[in-house]
Amino acid sequence: MFNENKERGFSTLSVHAGVEPDPSTGAIMTPVYLTSTYVQEGIGQHKGYEYSRSSNPTRDALEAAFAALEGAQHGLAFASGLAAVDAVLMTLKPGDEVIAGDDLYGGTRRLFTTHYAPLGIHFHFVDTQDPANVASALNDRTRLVWLETPTNPLLRISDIAAIADLLKDHPAKLAVDNTFATPALQRPLAEGADIVMHSVTKYLGGHSDVVMGALMCKDAETDAALRTLQNNVGAIPGPMDCFLVLRGIKTLGIRVRQHCANGRAVAEWLNAHPKVDRVYWPGFADFPNHAVAARQMRDFGGMISFTLQDDSLAASRKVCESTQVFALAESLGGVESLIEHPALMTHASVPAEQRAALGINDSLIRISCGIEDAEDLIADLAQALDA
Ligand SMILES: *Cc1c(COP(=O)(O)O)cnc(C)c1O
């Protein structure tokens, strides 16, 4: 078997993580075990599988791959990113407090405020770019700190190690949504986090064909609690989706390299364009917390947001509706480049005054650079900005 303990490059890890030849045939690809149950030779005499909500060999291989990618001991697969977030929140009790970033993925914030807050869990939404804001919200009822870095859509950067350090002698767990960075660029567990969450729908799947979530953690106790919830609730992915993500992960290393190269080329080009006002990309030396990003990330990713000199809604709408290579769509992290308008699309559910406070204005456009040729992405944006 591929030895995950040995230091190897990330692309090697991507190709081999969690995957062994099928023991019965030698098939190099993990078979898709489309089965709900497993025949027992006698009562309780089975080969480790009883019922596919609890475990399935295709999902097991994927969960091993998830763990290997994040340098975790344990990996868990869920039916969506939000189902993974939900499993973490379900470990809390009424009266518990959560400190969360104020620029979270909209669906995560909606789950916190519309479902868990009425159940008696108290949320402090703070600007986690400064760890001092986390320190001042921390008290003896805090049980979870929920972090995204970089954030969506403003690419804000928070210092994972500094925040983990605040929690060193505190029972609160640190969970990091690593969807934007991917384990190719950032390893939150190595920075001191307890739980990593992914919307696998994005970069890990990578081909815009699956909705899935993941949790990775280091300690057996956290894993056991989350695994019990995974089985008790049953928000699990099917074996075909697990196979598609196992296949997607094989190219994660090489895809992320191209996403980053395209992101850099497009961000620098946008920054020099006379019709563009501000470009949000953590690779710029003057970007807030750039030094933190440069330390905790291997590169800066393919996600970019920008505003226009003409700050009217009509101008940004025109750009979003004029691209030909960039497809106008929500989501991100696939091989194809996407463009969207956060205020009208992904962040429409965020109240207008909160959007304004965060800086998500009507001129803001978000792009997910795919793995096409950078020259084609730039030419496409050039014609859209001239439209
Ligand atoms: C998409 C996304 C989620 C939610 O994941 P789903 O797979 O859509 O349920 C959570 N966090 C981030 C950062 C995301 O981009």
Side-chain angles (χ1 to χ4, degrees), residues 56-215:
N56 171 286
T58 314
R59 197 172 89 221
D60 279 1
L62 178 62
E63 292 184 335
F66 284 161
L69 290 177
E70 285 287 359
Q73 255 60 56
H74 313 277
L76 292 126
F78 290 87
S80 70
L82 284 179
V85 178
D86 185 52
V88 177
L89 269 287
M90 265 193 281
T91 63
L92 303 177
K93 295 185 299 299
D96 287 352
E97 296 196 5
V98 178
I99 301 171
D102 61 1
D103 185 26
L104 292 186
Y105 175 72
T108 302
R109 189 175 177 124
R110 184 176 58 203
L111 181 65
F112 289 1
T113 56
T114 67
H115 186 72
Y116 283 98
L119 294 178
I121 292 162
H122 187 71
F123 292 88
H124 300 266
F125 292 100
V126 305
D127 181 353
T128 55
Q129 289 177 108
D130 183 355
N133 295 328
V134 176
S136 54
L138 193 67
N139 64 47
D140 57 13
R141 292 179 301 281
T142 311
R143 288 295 172 273
L144 179 68
V145 176
W146 190 274
L147 213 61
E148 273 178 38
T149 179
T151 64
N152 173 20
L154 297 171
L155 289 313
R156 290 187 174 166
I157 302 294
S158 294
D159 188 332
I160 301 168
I163 293 170
D165 209 45
L166 291 173
L167 304 177
K168 218 163 43 199
D169 299 314
H170 193 287
K173 298 245 184 280
L174 175 59
V176 177
D177 180 339
N178 205 28
T179 301
F180 265 45
T182 84
L185 303 183
Q186 177 172 279
R187 292 282 196 84
L189 297 177
E191 302 285 325
D194 301 292
I195 300 170
V196 172
M197 174 259 154
H198 278 276
S199 171
V200 175
T201 316
K202 316 296 168 51
Y203 287 102
L204 296 196
H207 296 74
S208 309
D209 51 8
V210 173
V211 172
M212 193 188 290
L215 295 175

Side-chain angles (χ1 to χ4, degrees), residues 237-261:
M240 192 64 215
D241 282 356
C242 293
F243 175 83
L244 286 172
V245 173
L246 276 167
R247 170 194 268 228
I249 283 173
K250 289 185 185 293
T251 55
L252 182 63
I254 193 170
R255 279 188 285 113
V256 170
R257 236 182 288 154
Q258 184 71 14
H259 286 299
C260 290

Side-chain angles (χ1 to χ4, degrees), residues 288-304:
N289 276 354
H290 168 75
V292 175
R295 182 182 55 71
Q296 76 187 9
M297 298 175 74
R298 274 208 216 164
D299 203 340
F300 303 103
M303 296 301 300
I304 303 166

